[in-house]
Amino acid sequence: MMLSDPSQKYRPFPQVNLPDRQWPSQTITKAPRWLSTDMRDGNQSLIDPMNAEKKQRFFDLLIKVGIKEIEVGFPSAGATEFDFISGLVKNGSIPDDVIVQVLTQARPELIATTFESLRGAKQAIVHVYNAVSPAWRRIVFGMERSEVRQIAIDAAKLLRDHAAAQPDTDWFFEYSPETFSTAELDFSLECCEAVMDILLPTPEKPLILNLPATVEAASPNIYADQIEWMCRNISRRDSVVISLHPHNDRGTGVAAAELGLMAGADRVEGCLFGNGERTGNCDLVTVALNMYTQGVKPGLDFSDIDEVIQTVEYCNQLPVHPRHPYAGELVFTAFSGSHQDAIKKGFAAQEARNDLIWDVPYLPIDPKDLGRDYEAVIRVNSQSGKGGVAWVLQQDKGLKLPKRMQADFSRVVQELADSTSRELGAADIWDAFGKHYRVSGEQPYTLVDYHETGPAGDRVFVGKIGFEGGERSISGRGNGLISGVLAALRDELGIDLEVADYSEHAIGVGTDVNAAAYVECRTPDGVTIFGVGMDCDVATASVQAVLSAANGLAARRK
């Protein structure tokens, strides 16, 4: 049961004393170094960890996406991990511009195994860690500060010595004061400085200092304060790479990474789509595409986001949520009528401007940049409006309905959606369109043939139409084709309509296209009837549109 007063059990996280903090006024203007930890942190959190085949497939995906630093595993954890990592090296599977990283605890025998797994590698990062926060010191280890600092020092010496024993590999080192985000800043700094004193990093060969939010326990602004404090107080800032490793326990892992970069960090560690222990790691896809939408080149390629999703879901055996930022099945989809109308108008305005700058309501990124098409941007259910219905017809059939016709047909679709209580697909909408506007199935009046005669302004329509199971010839005089058709229908069939509005457009582009014609007609007693016609000849499409309205009137009379 939740407490009526949670302050009896939980304490607010303390603020960082940084009154002149600079990060709030900074912006992200370039991509960080990216490290994928999918194959280590992500893998160890899976119900069924990846086998060698899945690991290889994931590794290949990361390379294809463009990630240059990949934490490939924990080689001392067991034979599966060790054999896969050593196999990457022996098989020459690591591209020259990619550097693999492995993780180890700060224990002599584990460090030795870790170096052995990488024997023969051209270059590699060995990542060692030890927890430094008070809860771990007190509860897990039963150690004082000095003892925990000594663990870090001893591990650094082992890194130095093992690297010296394998001089053919270009070694880089990463040190993590694990549980940094819940530790005292001065003690985290003390441990990092002690490791630097052993490894002696230089600007040409920097040490990676990973400052993880191992458990996210505070709002992301506090993490940014912690990062800025460390960046300010570390003694050899030009000789270290500040790396972020935010977890997502509070749901703000992405925000923590972004604010941490604003605070001066150089590198971001995380997983594709945020996999990882508990609530997961920072989501590299979201951070990268957030940058992309701000005009910053992220250095990662997600132009086929669906392939990335399929591979990650196969390897992790976990689904990507349909509402996941940028990648989810529904993130570019609008069901709400007002949203659909805004998106439809946004696409029309984008096309009219012929401008590369993207500015479409509700869509912060062009779906086509991620390999998605526009067909699923608007989907129709009982919440949809006329704009959404019109969009589906335009995308599926190339029809651009006039506004009043959109409103007329949206009522038909609304009734259908309410009666079926489900989402309507393009086929459902097209079927309803054909039935409502009498462009499919058997109809009272169908066009068989026609021709026009007479001078401009005094035209005679002569046509043959299907009527009552047979054919009938009709004719009418008017100042144009449509007025002649209306006269023929009125004088010979008793169908009295007048056109209140007419529009037409080509369907598609090029020379071999069809035309669509729309008429809004009224009867003498004020009833409005819409009609539509489609043909390779725009004049024929116009005649068919009038007959469509006549069929609609006949249906009303029945």
Side-chain angles (χ1 to χ4, degrees), residues 6-333:
S7 67
Q8 295 176 348
K9 188 173 185 179
Y10 302 100
R11 293 167 293 177
F13 199 90
Q15 297 287 320
V16 176
N17 183 23
L18 198 67
D20 60 340
R21 58 182 58 83
Q22 300 299 304
W23 65 261
S25 61
Q26 302 303 309
T27 57
I28 298 172
T29 58
K30 65 177 182 178
R33 289 170 56 173
W34 303 104
L35 173 88
S36 162
T37 188
D38 289 271
M39 300 174 67
R40 196 278 303 170
D41 202 338
N43 186 53
Q44 72 186 39
S45 69
L46 299 177
I47 298 171
D48 295 309
M50 288 182 273
N51 58 21
E53 182 269 333
K54 288 180 178 178
K55 273 181 163 279
Q56 186 64 55
R57 185 176 294 201
F58 213 125
F59 183 76
D60 294 341
L61 172 69
L62 294 171
I63 291 173
K64 185 175 182 180
V65 165
I67 293 178
K68 303 301 183 184
E69 299 177 46
I70 303 172
E71 193 165 62
V72 289
F74 204 139
S76 62
T80 300
E81 290 281 280
F82 184 96
D83 292 345
F84 174 77
I85 294 165
S86 61
L88 286 177
V89 176
K90 293 173 183 176
N91 298 331
S93 301
I94 307 168
D96 289 342
D97 63 343
V98 171
I99 185 166
V100 295
Q101 175 172 304
V102 291
L103 181 71
T104 179
Q105 293 170 311
R107 289 164 52 187
E109 69 278 12
L110 303 185
I111 292 173
T113 300
T114 298
F115 273 88
E116 188 60 32
S117 72
L118 292 168
R119 184 172 294 278
K122 294 180 181 178
Q123 55 182 353
I125 302 169
V126 177
H127 177 192
V128 69
Y129 71 96
N130 67 305
V132 300
S133 68
W136 266 256
R137 297 196 309 262
R138 184 180 70 254
I139 299 170
V140 181
F141 305 129
M143 291 184 175
E144 299 297 325
R145 276 194 181 197
S146 59
E147 296 172 285
V148 169
R149 183 179 64 252
Q150 192 61 45
I151 291 174
I153 293 171
D154 292 342
K157 290 178 179 178
L158 288 169
L159 295 186
R160 179 195 61 195
D161 296 343
H162 279 285
Q166 295 187 42
D168 292 338
T169 297
D170 191 8
W171 296 104
F172 296 87
F173 304 120
E174 175 170 344
Y175 171 66
S176 290
E178 193 198 6
T179 64
F180 162 81
S181 58
T182 53
E184 308 94 332
L185 284 171
D186 66 319
F187 184 55
S188 292
L189 179 65
E190 188 179 327
C191 291
C192 289
E193 292 284 359
V195 170
M196 291 168 65
D197 288 342
I198 302 300
L199 296 177
L200 302 176
T202 65
E204 296 73 29
K205 196 87 173 216
L207 169 66
I208 301 169
L209 291 178
N210 179 38
L211 306 177
T214 307
V215 178
E216 188 178 41
S219 52
N221 61 297
I222 290 180
Y223 186 60
D225 282 349
Q226 293 171 327
I227 299 302
E228 183 171 330
W229 190 95
M230 287 291 288
C231 287
R232 288 190 190 186
N233 288 280
I234 200 80
S235 65
R236 287 160 275 187
R237 181 63 182 90
D238 63 347
S239 298
V240 297
V241 172
I242 300 297
S243 191
L244 308 174
H245 187 110
H247 276 257
N248 201 42
D249 298 271
R250 291 170 54 94
T252 56
V254 167
E258 292 179 327
L259 300 190
L261 289 173
M262 292 162 59
D266 309 297
R267 187 176 187 248
V268 175
E269 305 183 4
C271 294
L272 301 184
F273 309 120
N275 183 38
E277 293 183 289
R278 303 182 310 282
T279 56
N281 289 269
C282 172
D283 175 10
L284 297 187
V285 177
T286 299
V287 177
L289 292 178
N290 282 353
M291 291 181 190
Y292 183 82
T293 64
Q294 303 303 301
V296 177
K297 184 178 179 179
L300 302 180
D301 183 4
F302 296 114
S303 56
D304 189 351
I305 195 72
D306 288 331
E307 180 191 11
V308 178
I309 292 169
Q310 290 164 9
T311 302
V312 171
E313 288 185 333
Y314 168 76
C315 293
N316 287 345
Q317 293 296 292
L318 291 172
V320 173
H321 196 280
R323 297 293 182 190
H324 197 101
Y326 302 108
E329 180 186 358
L330 298 177
V331 296
F332 299 127
T333 301

